[in-house]
């Protein structure tokens, strides 16, 4: 994997290029497309075409595939092709950021992953055996991030030490597996909210040969990650990142709403995932916040969807399609949006689908939400290059100043 | 009696099977040209189970069904009217057929009482007393705007015990047809089909067909045969009903059916079919195939390492991309599995009908039928019997 920071915003935001697969660079920051069970929720290869991002890198949680070792071995051609995503660079993480990771169930030699209510004990050896068959472009070394705020010091310290041990084993096995020589590996930095533990973890990971870092252990995934208060993790996170080298990418997995994205960008995060828009879909809602950055000096280089960028009513990032105000609304979710849903369907129709619990409702919402989120990141890339992230933030959130206090 | 015929349907027979009563025709409707015999997938609530309309266009689906009863409740007439009709509301530019709402009422509602005026029922939403009359059914269907509408008929479960009920039903059906025709305001933009009833009595069926044929209508449906009636009786009634209807107009067998039903009834002269089975069974993880036994239950362990597509001869997007082994991991677990199987099952049914039409056009339909059934028989039985001198052709 190759990564390069190209530009810095004045508050520390980074715009760069990442090549997960040779010859296919992606501009950062951007969100990896999160899958569940091997599919982008509600979508198929045929409908994913409407997302209009060729070869969109996907994030696959090992959790959902832990029990597929037999079929992976027999298939022999790697998980991406098995999933019908052969042309999408595959990034393998351990736990699904879009689903709550069950706490507990620990032992010294392994991490527990849950797959359809079945628990699997994953040792680094077992993990690397799977990685060999999965053939990802990039993977996260097995780690223990079960350190919710309020957990014991012992738990935090265990998560740090186990993660370092696992990292070493994974690295050793990777280096002795020829087929993994070109595969990238990132290491998790753990330590909960304990600055000492974080410092130790960061220093140890930095000392190993990794291609990037995951800022893990701040939440336990799922809807709770959406409720994360940045103010409570800001100091620890910023300190931790200051210990990491500038030339390697920093990953953050978990629901990242626009305000969290701005804040994470400022502390130097490069990579995200699409759990946030997927969660919005699961609650039958659509993202509507202004996601197009228009700057007079580069108007001509923008995509044609720039028209109405006025901020939504105070504080609303999304609308609920279950709301009866949509019943007779024959306008698209977002009038200026060029996604397949907004070009072809109305709020009234989607409201109907939601009310009668028809699956197409979530398909249409997912197509829109992922498109909306991707477009937000494309705008972020541009805003960083123009060093106008603060202005863009004001447009999106209607808030000035660098510090956002959560409601 | 209102004028039932207009220019909203042109039915042109293109080929006749020289052995059976099957025929291929081109049916031109306001929104699309439909080649018959045709299978119409069912999109009950104004959507076909998670598929985008563009996916149906890719499958070359020309016509689909939607249900008046469901749509009349949700989203309701007001929304549909303001949306400019169902085509516009759901983003489907090809043809639509709606049923009258009568069947759902009788089968879904506990207290549906049929009187001469209409169907008396209690609203499932607030318990208030409602009445669905032939006129009201037409009004709702007009708002929906389907290319083909069905009359409100007095439908009786074919296994009903009382013969007098069938007698009453088929006469009332004719009277209700006349009321529907009078209420039908746009014969040049929408078609209205009457429905032949008469239970499992051949004479009653013939008589009912004779009555309906006297009216000026663009096509005919045959109803009351999609329940649990005994198959050996079923086909006889289908045959009689089809034979009693004019050759020059399409014949639609409502609620039928599975693969075997489709090919057999095509041979008996039926032109149009609909059935929820392919889309419903997709949700339960079952894929349709031509090989014995006609379907694959993908969650079975045997598919865990089966890296072939559902059907190697199928060119649908599912079969072009995914293996049985992958589908095995997601059926009944991920919503995407439903979509993938729905695409395949609809493709399968459409492909079957295309083969039926091609065989009729080439006048090789009997050979097609033999091959179709042979493929559906378990291969082991065919081989075993062949070894002792029994050929199943």
């Amino acid at each position: 994997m190759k990564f390069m920071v190209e530009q810095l915003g004045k508050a520390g935001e980074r715009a760069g290029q990442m090549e997960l697969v040779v010859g296919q660079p992606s501009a950062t920051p951007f969100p990896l497309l999160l899958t569940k069970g091997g599919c982008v929720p509600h979508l198929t290869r045929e409908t994913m075409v409407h997302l209009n991002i060729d070869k969109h890198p996907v994030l696959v949680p090992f959790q959902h595939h832990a029990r597929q070792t037999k079929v992976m071995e027999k298939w022999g051609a790697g998980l991406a092709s098995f999933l019908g995503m052969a042309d999408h660079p595959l990034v393998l993480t351990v736990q699904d950021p879009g689903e709550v990771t069950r706490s507990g169930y620990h032992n010294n030699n392994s991490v527990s992953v849950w797959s359809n209510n079945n628990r699997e004990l994953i040792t680094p050896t077992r993990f690397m055996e799977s990685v060999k068959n999965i053939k990802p472009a990039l993977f996260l070394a097995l780690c223990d991030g079960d350190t919710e705020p309020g957990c014991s010091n012992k738990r935090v310290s265990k998560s740090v030490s186990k993660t370092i041990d696992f990292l070493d084993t994974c690295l050793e096995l990777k280096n002795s597996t020829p087929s993994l020589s070109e595969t990238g590996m990132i290491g998790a930095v753990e330590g909960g909210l304990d600055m000492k533990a974080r410092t130790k973890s960061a220093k140890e990971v930095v000392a190993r040969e990794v291609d990037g870092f995951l800022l893990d252990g701040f939440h336990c995934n799922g809807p709770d990650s959406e409720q994360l208060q940045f103010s409570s993790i800001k100091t620890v996170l910023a300190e931790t990142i200051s210990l990491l080298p500038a030339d390697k990418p920093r990953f953050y997995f978990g629901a990242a709403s626009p305000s969290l994205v701005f804040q994470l960008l400022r502390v130097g995060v490069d990579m995200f995932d699409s759990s946030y828009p997927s969660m919005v879909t699961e609650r039958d809602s659509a993202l509507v916040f202004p996601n197009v950055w228009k700057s007079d000096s580069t108007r001509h280089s923008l995509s044609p969807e720039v028209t109405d960028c006025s901020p939504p009513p105070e504080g609303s990032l999304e609308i609920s399609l279950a709301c009866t105000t949509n019943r007779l609304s024959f306008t698209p979710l977002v009038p200026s949006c060029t996604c397949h849903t907004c070009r072809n369907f109305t709020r009234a129709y989607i409201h109907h689908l939601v009310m009668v619990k028809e699956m197409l409702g979530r398909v249409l919402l997912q197509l829109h939400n992922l498109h909306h989120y991707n477009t937000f990141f494309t705008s972020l890339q541009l805003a960083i290059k123009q060093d106008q992230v603060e202005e863009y933030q004001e447009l999106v959130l209607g808030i000035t100043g660098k510090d956002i206090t959560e409601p | 009696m209102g004028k039932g015929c207009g220019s909203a349907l042109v039915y042109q027979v293109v080929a006749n099977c020289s052995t059976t009563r099957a025929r291929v025709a081109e049916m031109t409707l306001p929104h699309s040209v439909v080649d018959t015999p045709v299978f119409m997938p069912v999109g009950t609530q104004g959507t076909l189970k998670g598929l985008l309309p563009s996916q149906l266009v890719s499958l070359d689906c020309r016509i689909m069904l939607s249900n008046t009863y469901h749509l009349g409740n949700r989203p309701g007439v007001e929304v549909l009217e303001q949306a400019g009709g169902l085509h516009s509301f759901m983003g489907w530019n090809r043809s639509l057929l709606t049923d009258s709402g009568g069947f759902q009422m009788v089968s879904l509602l506990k207290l549906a009482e049929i009187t001469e005026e209409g169907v008396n029922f209690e609203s499932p939403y607030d318990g208030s007393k409602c009445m669905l009359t032939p006129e009201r059914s037409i009004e709702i269907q007009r708002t929906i705007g389907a290319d083909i509408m069905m009359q409100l008929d007095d439908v009786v479960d074919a296994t009903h015990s009382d013969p007098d009920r069938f007698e009453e039903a088929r006469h009332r059906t004719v009277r209700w047809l006349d009321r529907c025709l009078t209420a039908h305001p746009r014969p040049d933009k929408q078609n209205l089909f009457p429905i032949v009833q008469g239970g499992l009595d051949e004479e009653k069926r013939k008589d009912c067909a004779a009555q309906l044929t006297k009216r000026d209508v663009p096509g005919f449906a045959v109803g009351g045969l999609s329940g649990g009636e005994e198959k050996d009786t079923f086909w006889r009634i289908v045959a009689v009903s089809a034979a009693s209807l004019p050759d020059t107009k399409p014949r639609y067998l409502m609620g039928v059916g599975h693969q075997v039903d489709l090919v057999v009834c095509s041979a008996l002269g039926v032109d149009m079919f609909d059935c929820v089975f392919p889309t419903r069974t997709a949700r339960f993880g079952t894929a349709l195939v031509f090989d014995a036994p006609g379907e694959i239950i993908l969650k079975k362990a045997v598919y865990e390492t089966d890296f072939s597509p559902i059907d190697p001869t199928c060119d649908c997007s599912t079969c072009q991309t995914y293996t049985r082994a992958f589908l095995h991991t997601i059926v009944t677990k991920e919503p995407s599995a439903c979509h993938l199987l729905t695409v395949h099952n609809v493709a399968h049914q459409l492909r079957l009908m295309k083969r039926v039409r091609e065989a009729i056009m080439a006048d090789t339909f009997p050979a097609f039928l033999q091959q179709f059934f042979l493929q559906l028989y378990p291969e082991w039985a065919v081989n075993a019997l062949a070894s002792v001198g029994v050929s199943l052709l």
Side-chain angles (χ1 to χ4, degrees):
Chain A
M1 179 190 68
K2 289 200 191 125
F3 174 74
M4 200 169 66
V5 175
E6 287 180 333
Q7 242 150 318
L8 281 178
K10 55 182 173 286
E13 312 95 343
R14 295 142 56 99
Q17 289 278 325
M18 176 176 291
E19 237 179 69
L20 288 162
V21 164
V22 174
Q24 283 176 42
S26 305
T28 67
F30 82 88
L32 295 166
L33 200 51
L34 180 62
T35 63
K36 186 175 158 64
C39 304
V40 175
H42 307 289
L43 303 184
T44 64
R45 186 181 179 82
E46 191 181 6
T47 52
M48 267 170 66
V49 161
H50 294 299
L51 292 178
N52 277 320
I53 296 191
D54 203 26
K55 305 181 170 67
H56 198 319
V58 293
L59 182 65
V60 176
F62 174 71
Q63 166 182 6
H64 300 309
H65 304 274
R67 293 162 69 93
Q68 291 174 2
T69 30
K70 178 171 151 201
V71 64
M72 278 287 96
E73 248 168 49
K74 286 216 155 135
W75 173 247
L79 186 57
S81 64
F82 183 66
L83 302 180
M85 298 209 220
D87 45 357
H88 296 257
L90 191 152
V91 176
L92 184 75
T93 185
V94 178
Q95 311 283 5
D96 183 349
E99 206 177 284
V100 168
T101 304
R102 295 190 214 199
S103 203
Y105 309 95
H106 299 291
N107 73 41
N108 281 335
N109 314 313
S110 63
V111 167
S112 284
V113 299
W114 292 82
S115 174
N116 279 312
N117 290 318
N118 297 301
R119 184 164 72 103
E120 296 291 322
L121 282 173
I122 312 293
T123 60
T125 309
R126 178 174 169 182
F127 183 70
M128 288 309 292
E129 192 55 36
S130 292
V131 169
K132 193 172 77 165
N133 289 321
I134 287 170
K135 305 188 205 295
L138 176 72
F139 70 97
L140 170 68
L142 188 68
C143 55
D144 176 341
D146 183 16
T147 50
E148 259 188 319
C151 68
S152 70
N153 288 339
K154 183 174 168 198
R155 175 86 282 273
V156 171
S157 130
K158 270 285 181 192
S159 87
V160 168
S161 57
K162 276 172 69 179
T163 298
I164 296 165
D165 286 341
F166 293 163
L167 176 58
D168 282 335
T169 311
C170 287
L171 195 50
E172 192 186 313
L173 288 167
K174 174 181 181 307
N175 288 335
S176 62
T177 309
S179 63
L180 291 176
S181 59
E182 298 304 304
T183 310
M185 186 181 83
I186 62 180
V189 181
E190 305 289 352
L193 293 174
D194 178 338
M195 201 55 234
K196 246 181 89 180
R198 283 277 170 193
T199 307
K200 175 176 175 185
S201 182
K203 289 192 165 151
E204 295 287 353
V205 179
V206 169
R208 271 81 174 164
E209 202 188 309
V210 294
D211 299 295
F213 307 93
L214 173 67
L215 296 149
D216 200 26
F218 287 103
H219 58 75
C220 277
N221 301 312
D224 287 351
S225 69
E226 212 188 332
Q227 307 305 323
L228 183 73
Q229 301 280 347
F230 185 74
S231 52
S232 63
I233 69 168
K234 181 180 174 185
T235 318
V236 174
L237 181 60
E239 267 287 317
T240 305
I241 293 181
S242 71
L243 299 168
L244 304 177
D247 62 346
K248 290 186 179 171
R250 297 85 176 258
F251 291 72
Y252 175 87
F253 293 152
S257 67
S259 87
L260 185 59
V261 172
F262 281 111
Q263 292 164 316
L264 288 172
L265 280 182
R266 279 196 288 271
V267 295
V269 173
D270 303 294
M271 290 292 292
F272 300 79
D273 72 81
S274 65
S275 50
Y276 170 70
S278 278
M279 282 183 203
V280 173
T281 300
E282 290 311 307
R283 48 180 183 255
D284 293 327
S285 296
L287 293 174
V288 297
F289 64 86
N291 63 342
V292 181
W293 175 239
K294 180 165 70 169
S295 168
D296 292 319
S297 58
T298 55
R299 186 190 286 255
H300 62 275
S301 69
L302 287 173
S303 63
E305 67 192 283
V306 180
T307 47
D308 174 32
C309 294
S310 53
E314 191 115 46
S316 71
L317 299 168
E318 63 186 68
I319 55 169
S320 165
L321 271 301
C323 194
T324 50
T325 52
N326 294 302
R327 198 175 77 92
L328 289 165
S329 176
F330 294 103
T331 56
L333 296 170
V334 174
S336 55
C337 180
T338 56
C339 81
H340 185 79
T341 300
C342 290
R343 282 185 291 113
N344 294 291
F345 304 94
T346 61
R347 293 182 178 202
Y349 182 58
I350 300 172
H351 170 73
H352 161 68
L353 296 174
V354 163
M355 296 311 281
V356 298
K357 298 190 183 16
E358 278 286 348
M359 293 192 278
L360 187 62
R362 298 233 170 128
V363 173
L364 295 180
L365 287 172
Q366 185 75 314
L367 282 174
H368 169 78
N369 289 335
L370 291 174
H371 179 270
H372 198 91
Y373 201 59
N374 278 332
T375 306
F376 169 54
F377 275 87
T378 308
S379 290
L380 279 171
Q381 293 156 16
L382 186 62
I384 296 171
K385 286 183 185 150
Q386 294 169 353
D387 205 11
Q388 292 189 297
V389 179
E390 202 180 318
E391 287 84 344
Y392 184 36
Q393 178 180 299
E394 196 181 327
L395 174 70
V396 175
L397 302 175
I399 300 169
T400 49
K402 296 190 179 61
D403 287 323
I404 302 167
T405 45
E406 306 290 335
Chain B
M1 237 182 288
K3 185 164 171 33
C5 250
S7 60
L9 188 155
V10 175
Y11 183 77
Q12 181 84 43
V13 174
V14 166
N16 280 294
C17 174
S18 54
T19 312
T20 71
R21 286 190 245 137
R23 69 268 185 84
V24 169
E26 231 178 57
M27 180 168 66
T28 305
L29 295 169
H31 284 85
S32 66
V33 176
V34 177
D35 298 317
T36 66
V38 63
F39 175 79
M40 304 181 283
V42 180
T44 304
Q45 307 200 85
T47 158
L48 208 126
K49 287 295 165 257
L51 298 196
L52 296 171
S54 59
Q55 289 178 280
L56 288 170
V57 170
S58 295
L59 293 172
D60 202 20
C61 174
R62 307 277 183 86
I63 178 171
M64 57 175 275
L65 233 87
S66 229
N67 288 99
T68 299
Y69 171 73
H70 293 82
L71 293 172
N73 285 312
R74 300 183 297 183
V77 170
E78 187 191 3
V79 172
L80 287 166
E81 194 141 46
Q82 288 201 31
L86 184 59
H87 287 94
S88 172
F89 190 55
M90 64 183 285
W92 172 247
N93 296 326
R94 293 183 171 191
S95 296
L96 281 170
L97 184 151
T98 46
D99 67 339
S100 63
F103 180 77
Q104 267 79 35
M105 252 184 228
V106 166
S107 57
L108 293 178
L109 298 175
K110 295 188 196 77
L111 295 163
E113 191 207 339
I114 302 180
T115 66
E116 185 60 28
E117 203 191 333
V119 182
N120 239 324
F121 63 101
E122 268 183 23
S123 160
Y125 302 102
D126 59 12
S128 61
K129 294 255 183 294
C130 304
M131 163 76 76
L132 181 70
T133 60
E135 292 79 11
R136 179 70 182 142
S137 170
I138 293 300
E139 197 187 335
I140 302 173
Q141 291 188 75
R142 182 196 64 77
T143 307
I144 293 172
D147 301 69
I148 299 176
M149 308 182 291
M150 304 308 298
Q151 71 155 114
L152 182 66
D153 58 336
D154 186 0
V155 58
V156 182
D157 177 0
T159 57
H160 195 88
S161 49
D162 178 7
D164 288 343
R165 180 70 188 98
F166 289 111
E167 191 64 16
E168 175 192 48
R170 70 183 180 89
H171 289 303
R172 179 173 293 143
T173 289
V174 177
R175 292 194 294 275
W176 280 4
L177 170 63
D178 289 339
R179 285 167 61 182
C180 285
L181 287 168
T182 307
H184 177 32
R186 298 194 290 166
D188 59 332
K189 290 245 168 28
Q190 288 180 276
N191 297 289
L192 174 62
F193 279 21
I195 306 177
V196 176
Q197 294 291 354
L200 302 175
D201 182 315
E202 293 191 18
E203 290 312 308
K204 289 192 166 85
R205 285 275 175 179
K206 280 186 201 166
D207 184 66
C208 185
Q211 296 302 317
L212 299 179
T213 319
K214 289 181 191 162
R215 277 76 180 164
D216 187 14
V217 289
F220 299 89
V222 177
L225 287 173
S226 58
E229 60 282 326
E230 210 261 300
K231 287 311 252 217
D232 207 32
T233 312
F234 159 83
W235 76 259
R236 289 171 215 279
I237 301 300
V238 171
V240 159
S241 303
S244 312
L245 293 168
D247 284 337
T248 51
K249 295 183 180 178
R251 306 161 181 147
Y252 164 33
L253 182 57
M254 302 183 76
V256 174
H258 297 210
Q259 303 186 65
V260 169
D261 302 317
L262 300 179
V263 303
V264 167
C265 295
S266 292
L268 299 178
V270 174
D271 308 298
M272 297 165 64
F273 302 90
D274 81 273
C275 191
V276 295
F277 177 66
T279 39
R280 179 174 293 167
T281 207
R283 300 208 311 280
F284 301 123
T286 300
L288 302 177
V289 292
F290 291 114
D291 290 334
E295 58 186 44
I296 293 185
I297 299 171
L298 283 155
K299 69 174 187 231
K300 286 191 170 170
V302 68
Y303 299 112
E304 193 189 353
T305 51
D306 184 344
F307 298 122
S308 54
I310 294 168
D311 181 341
T313 67
C314 181
D315 64 358
C316 81
S317 56
T318 301
C319 291
Q320 293 299 298
T321 309
Y322 302 96
T323 60
R324 295 172 180 193
F326 170 68
L327 295 167
H328 171 78
T329 65
I330 57 168
V331 285
T332 72
K333 292 182 194 148
E334 301 299 330
S336 306
C338 294
H339 309 324
L340 292 174
L341 291 190
T342 300
V343 163
H344 170 76
N345 286 356
V346 170
H348 178 88
Q349 299 287 86
L350 296 180
R351 195 158 61 112
L352 171 62
M353 299 316 290
K354 187 158 185 227
R355 287 184 178 183
V356 163
R357 292 192 298 268
E358 281 166 356
I360 298 167
M361 297 274 289
D363 209 12
T364 53
F365 193 46
F368 166 82
L369 288 166
Q370 287 165 335
Q371 176 55 35
F372 171 80
F373 280 101
L374 203 62
Q375 203 176 349
L376 267 189
Y377 287 160
E379 194 182 340
W380 70 269
V382 174
N383 293 337
L385 293 175
S387 79
V388 290
V390 176
S391 163
L392 278 178
L393 266 176

